[in-house]
Every structure is written in C-alpha cells, then in structure tokens.
Amino acid sequence: MTMLRSLFLSLLCLLPALAGAQASAPAECVVPSKPGGAMDLTCKLAKKGLAQEGAAAAMAPMRISYLPGGIGAVAWHSMGSQRRRAEPNTLVAFSGGSLLNLAQGKFGNAKAGDVRWVAALGADYGMIAVRSDSPYKTLGDLIAALRQHPDKVLIGVSGTIGSQDWLKMALVARHAGIDPKVLRFVALEGGGEVFTAMQADYVQVVSGDTSEATLNASANHARVLAVLSEKRLPGVLAGVPTAREQGVDVVWPIIRGVWMGPQVPEADYQRWVATFDRVMATPQFAEWRAQAGLYPFALTGPKLTAYVRKAVDEYARQANELGLMR
C-alpha cells in the first residue's frame, strides 16, 4: 500500500510537467486540402509569423501537415474527434469557402460554434484564369466561347456544385446571361490541383482565388482574365482588370485564417489569440501577407467568432436562394 501511495504521489507531481510539455509541444497547422493551394499558403503564412514570434521564445518551428478530403470535411471531423478535439497546439486553416460549405451542411450537422476560431490572417478575392497560351485574352472572350460552345470549355474548381469556386463562375455566367447548368465543371481538391490540371490542359479555365493566381501568374503559368474585387489590386495582379470593368458585376472577397478544436483549454486558446494579435501587428507580417497575395483583414478571438457566425448565416441565405441547401 505504501509503495502504491508513493507511486500515486509521484504521478501527481509529474502532471504539471506533462501539461507543460503538451503546451510547449511543436505547433502544427493542418491544411485541409492537397499541397499548393491557398489553404497551404495560409498555414505557411502562419508558420512564418510564428517563427518570428518563436525566435525570442525558443519555440520549435511549426509543422505543416495535409489532411485533404471532402472539401475540408475530413479535417473538420478529424479535429472534432475525441482524440484530437482538445489538442492545444494544433491549428487548422480555413477560408470563406469553408464557411460556405459549413452553411450548406457539407460538414454534416456541424455548426460554426463547434470549434474555436483563432485568427483571420488576411483576405483575398475570387478570380478567373486560363493558361498563358490560351486563346482567351479577356473575360469577354471566355464568355463568348461559353455562349457558343459551353460543352467544349472545361472549368476547374476546388470542390463540387455549391462550392465557392463553382458559385463564382456560376455568378459570372448568370450575369452574362448564361445558364450555369450548361457549363462543364471539373471538381478537384484544392487550388494547387486545379492549377496543375490546367497546366496539363485537363481543364481550360480555373475559377479560383487571387492568392493562388499570384503564385502562378508570377511564374508565367497562367493568365488572369478578371479579379472579383471592387477595384484593381496592387502587386503582381495590378494589371488585371476587375470583372466589373468588363461589364460583369460580380465581387467575391475571401477570408483566410485558422481555428482550433472545440475542447482546447481556455488558457491555450487565449495564448494563441494573443500570439496572433502580436504577430499580425508587425510590419514584417504585413510584408509577408502581401507577398502571399493577401490583403489586410485581421480579426481574432471573439470578434472573429462573431464575424464567422454572421458570415455563415449570410452564406446560408445565399445558398438557399440558389437552391443549394441540403
């Protein structure tokens, strides 16, 4: 009995150390898609920012892992499992597309309140792109081709019917008087895979995001026909006209950030919120964000949570109007 009591007391003494080891374990950012897309970019931006923060605190470099599937559903349900829902150092990338899928019930019965929203790192916009050697020089050229032979133009999107990439192209088509139902969409997993498919000429058009386009346009892999922003964007895409300029009144902003499991201890959640508040206030982070093709949009903790809930409600309303709700 004395030996058991001693062992029990020893374990009690170890608990604080074990908890501290868990809190100081290397951080992980989960990309809920394949490498190369904007979700990947989000985790890489977070990693850069945290490396700057960790240099003074001797933090281990953040690890990036990939968990594609179900347009984010696999990562969502994995982090909601009993095994992972309380991990204090695991972040998951999300976008406005994630919120749209959540609103449409593509994550099952999941709700916005089922996870802990940590930080919005920036925003980008929708865009329409083709290969650099494509015969389509303008958005008008593409629309003319879709009117004449919609069956001959394959459009690559991340996700299926109802995804944000699908909706962006559907809105452009509808504004141009084309029934989105006649368009030929190819559903792929993540922006990296979509651009790879276009380079292989498996699809002729990409409906994606400006952050992804920045990476590909700068390497002369793609020609961006239109950005879905209110006005022209600075940087690599400064010469690209908006869809509005070309007579198509469609604007599509996209938030990008990270969330955590629902049972992460409050102290750990607040630690991450405070960390991102510090990181995103630095000039260096602003520079990295711009290099990633993102634009200022910084919210953390309760303010981000309120924004997400409002956005999900608005997406649900839009999806219901388009007959996309399950």
Side-chain angles (χ1 to χ4, degrees):
M1 183 65 70
T2 302
M3 184 179 295
L4 287 174
R5 184 173 181 275
S6 297
L7 179 60
F8 179 70
L9 290 174
S10 297
L11 287 173
L12 284 179
C13 291
L14 282 173
L15 285 178
L18 291 172
Q22 185 182 38
S24 61
E28 176 185 10
C29 190
V30 177
V31 179
S33 65
K34 293 183 179 180
M39 292 289 199
D40 193 5
L41 182 150
T42 302
C43 277
K44 288 175 178 175
L45 179 59
K47 181 176 180 177
K48 273 189 176 181
L50 293 173
Q52 180 186 28
E53 174 82 4
M59 290 169 54
M62 170 178 272
R63 182 171 69 92
I64 296 178
S65 61
Y66 299 88
L67 195 57
I71 328 165
V74 171
W76 183 280
H77 291 297
S78 173
M79 292 305 300
S81 68
Q82 197 60 42
R83 182 175 65 88
R84 305 199 67 180
R85 59 196 291 114
E87 291 182 3
N89 288 316
T90 302
L91 305 167
V92 184
F94 78 92
S95 72
S98 309
L99 306 184
L100 176 62
N101 292 333
L102 188 61
Q104 293 181 66
K106 292 187 176 181
F107 293 170
N109 294 322
K111 300 290 187 295
D114 291 348
V115 301
R116 310 200 74 169
W117 304 95
V118 180
L121 307 182
D124 64 358
Y125 293 88
M127 65 85 219
I128 309 297
V130 294
R131 278 171 49 130
S132 55
D133 60 356
S134 170
Y136 311 130
K137 307 297 184 185
T138 67
L139 183 60
D141 292 342
L142 174 60
I143 288 172
L146 292 173
R147 283 197 181 111
Q148 189 171 7
H149 296 294
D151 57 316
K152 294 184 179 180
V153 183
L154 295 180
I155 305 165
V157 296
S158 177
T160 55
I161 292 177
S163 69
Q164 70 166 346
D165 287 352
W166 182 93
L167 271 173
K168 284 179 284 193
M169 195 65 214
L171 289 171
V172 167
R174 190 172 69 173
H175 193 279
I178 302 170
D179 183 354
K181 293 179 181 178
V182 306
L183 302 182
R184 295 185 63 191
F185 290 97
V186 178
L188 298 162
E189 185 72 46
E193 187 170 284
V194 174
F195 271 93
T196 299
M198 185 170 70
Q199 291 311 308
D201 205 25
Y202 180 54
V203 299
Q204 289 75 55
V205 181
V206 164
S207 173
D209 309 327
T210 54
S211 56
E212 298 163 347
T214 296
L215 299 175
N216 288 274
S218 61
N220 295 318
H221 290 160
R223 177 189 302 132
V224 182
L225 301 182
V227 290
L228 306 184
S229 53
E230 296 87 351
K231 57 184 180 181
R232 290 201 185 194
L233 302 172
V236 174
L237 303 179
V240 179
T242 66
R244 277 181 172 175
E245 287 180 65
Q246 301 176 76
V248 179
D249 190 10
V250 176
V251 174
W252 193 279
I254 304 158
I255 182 178
R256 299 207 172 277
V258 291
W259 56 265
M260 306 183 77
Q263 291 183 353
V264 171
E266 181 67 17
D268 291 300
Y269 173 67
Q270 293 298 338
R271 170 172 57 87
W272 279 110
V273 168
T275 296
F276 277 106
D277 279 335
R278 289 193 300 272
V279 166
M280 293 193 293
T282 65
Q284 182 64 69
F285 183 83
E287 183 179 332
W288 287 329
R289 182 180 57 212
Q291 290 171 356
L294 297 180
Y295 304 92
F297 188 93
L299 287 178
T300 58
K303 290 183 179 179
L304 174 60
T305 302
Y307 175 92
V308 165
R309 289 176 174 169
K310 184 177 179 180
V312 169
D313 289 343
E314 178 61 18
Y315 280 135
R317 183 190 64 77
Q318 292 177 338
N320 189 55
E321 289 177 355
L322 290 169
L324 296 172
M325 293 298 287
R326 293 186 170 188

